[in-house]
């Protein structure tokens, strides 16, 4: 049963991503016209360097938060599985 939910989640995510791309493509001419009227240049595409935080404290905090979430999830799964075995 869990596999069905995973499959459904996958396809819903895929549909949402496709819809987002479609909306962006449809609205691009309007956005370009508005930017020309305002005099604002389009944002440059985000590069890999832009995605990396240069603040080591922020990176450390994000890693610790993510690790805490993963550890909590694993603990919950182990506890649930142990409960089902008895």
């Amino acid at each position: 049963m869990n596999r069905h939910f995973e499959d459904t989640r996958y396809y819903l995510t895929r549909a949402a991503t496709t819809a987002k791309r479609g909306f962006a493509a449809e609205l691009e001419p309007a956005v370009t016209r508005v930017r020309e009227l305002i005099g604002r240049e389009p944002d440059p595409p985000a590069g890999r360097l832009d995605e990396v935080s240069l603040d080591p404290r922020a990176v450390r905090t994000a890693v610790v938060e993510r690790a805490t979430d993963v550890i909590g999830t694993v603990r919950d799964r182990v506890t649930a599985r142990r409960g089902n075995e008895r």
Side-chain angles (χ1 to χ4, degrees):
M1 186 70 152
N2 192 22
R3 176 148 173 105
H4 296 295
F5 290 120
E6 289 174 3
D7 290 347
T8 302
R9 182 173 164 228
Y10 167 77
Y11 287 114
L12 285 173
T13 302
R14 211 169 133 186
T17 302
T18 304
K20 180 180 174 185
R21 285 188 205 144
F23 284 125
E26 289 293 320
L27 293 176
E28 185 177 3
V31 170
T32 304
R33 275 185 278 150
V34 169
R35 285 189 174 158
E36 287 174 358
L37 291 172
I38 294 175
R40 187 172 145 213
E41 304 237 349
D43 296 333
R48 186 175 171 104
L49 185 58
D50 294 335
E51 295 174 6
V52 176
S53 176
L54 299 178
D55 183 14
R57 291 183 191 140
V59 172
R60 182 179 185 280
T61 302
V63 169
V64 169
E65 288 174 359
R66 176 73 177 131
T68 303
D69 290 343
V70 170
I71 290 170
T73 302
V74 170
R75 282 184 182 154
D76 292 342
R77 287 183 182 175
V78 168
T79 302
R81 184 164 288 220
R82 286 182 181 167
N84 289 340
E85 290 177 358
R86 293 180 185 173

